[in-house]
Amino acid sequence: MKNTPALSELLDECRDSTPEWTPVYDAFVAKLRRGAVAENAPKVGERFLDFAIPDALGRYRSLTELVSDGPIVLSFNRGGWCPFCHGELSAWGERVDALAAAGGRFVTITGEVGGRAERLRDLIGPDASILCDIDHGLALSVGLAFHCDADLQQRYRACGLDLADIYGGPGWILPVPATFVIDREQTVRFAFADPDFRVRAEPDDVIAVVAGLG
């Protein structure tokens, strides 16, 4: 594997570039933790919910199909508009070859519409699967979605971010970024879901889990 920076370094750069947002996000994340957001997300040893949702080209893909050739890394993200998701997906783009060598494939899920999901391919490469979670239905089903409160809505709008347009609906629902390793039997072998979207699983750690399944 070529020498690439740890994801945590990229995320630190994101934080440092917008220090004015730190107290806003700290308060928001604290509110999510008080509400036990993501505490019911799939855990290691559990069977992941079977699903069938469209990919970025409109073709329906099921979990059964996705794991038929071996384990997958399933990554829920907020979308390319989020600098932390952008950093995470860029980090995975640098490591997809290592993941393939370990026997796994990368699958990312976003609620973005209007062709935005397909643009993520520029970050993660041509071989990744990009799925579109319309109205965050799958994220809601597995405990990885929440309503964005009025204060954060107002702040995002002031920055020119209209999540209703980005996600194609007025619900102002956001997903919790999360990473899972799911084996052929659809069993979760690694799980990382933190309401603090500024913290993500390190790809190298996830790849090590995939390699251990061989």
Side-chain angles (χ1 to χ4, degrees), residues 74-96:
L74 188 66
S75 169
F76 286 79
N77 74 83
R78 299 172 1 141
W81 64 270
C82 170
F84 298 95
C85 291
H86 192 282
E88 179 185 14
L89 294 176
S90 295
W92 273 108
E94 296 288 342
R95 292 164 171 84
V96 289

Side-chain angles (χ1 to χ4, degrees), residues 62-74 99-100 102-107 181-187 189 210 213-214:
S62 68
L63 179 60
T64 300
E65 172 200 353
L66 291 167
V67 300
S68 62
D69 292 329
I72 63 170
V73 173
L74 188 66
L99 177 60
R105 291 190 305 114
F106 188 73
V107 179
V181 172
I182 305 174
D183 66 17
R184 289 176 183 266
E185 288 71 41
Q186 302 181 22
T187 300
R189 305 298 293 268
V210 174
L213 300 179

Side-chain angles (χ1 to χ4, degrees), residues 42-210:
K43 305 292 192 300
V44 172
E46 296 179 354
R47 185 178 175 86
F48 200 92
L49 176 70
D50 202 0
F51 61 79
I53 60 177
D55 65 14
L57 299 178
R59 302 168 299 192
Y60 273 79
R61 308 290 300 276
S62 68
L63 179 60
T64 300
E65 172 200 353
L66 291 167
V67 300
S68 62
D69 292 329
I72 63 170
V73 173
L74 188 66
S75 169
F76 286 79
N77 74 83
R78 299 172 1 141
W81 64 270
C82 170
F84 298 95
C85 291
H86 192 282
E88 179 185 14
L89 294 176
S90 295
W92 273 108
E94 296 288 342
R95 292 164 171 84
V96 289
D97 289 343
L99 177 60
R105 291 190 305 114
F106 188 73
V107 179
T108 191
I109 296 177
T110 178
E112 293 180 300
V113 299
R116 294 179 180 88
E118 180 61 19
R119 296 172 201 160
L120 299 179
R121 201 171 299 283
D122 293 337
L123 299 176
I124 53 182
D127 296 329
S129 295
I130 303 172
L131 306 184
C132 299
D133 190 17
I134 306 302
D135 293 330
H136 306 289
L138 179 57
L140 286 164
S141 296
V142 297
L144 287 173
F146 58 89
H147 184 261
C148 182
D149 66 24
D151 177 65
L152 195 57
Q153 289 183 36
Q154 182 178 0
R155 291 177 183 274
Y156 277 154
R157 285 196 184 101
C159 292
L161 274 173
D162 184 354
L163 296 188
D165 177 62
I166 290 171
Y167 294 135
W172 280 84
I173 301 294
L174 277 171
V176 173
T179 303
F180 303 93
V181 172
I182 305 174
D183 66 17
R184 289 176 183 266
E185 288 71 41
Q186 302 181 22
T187 300
V188 177
R189 305 298 293 268
F190 173 91
F192 184 96
D194 193 320
D196 192 341
F197 55 88
R198 299 166 294 182
V199 181
R200 311 290 174 100
E202 282 289 346
D204 293 343
D205 295 340
V206 179
I207 291 171
V209 172
V210 174

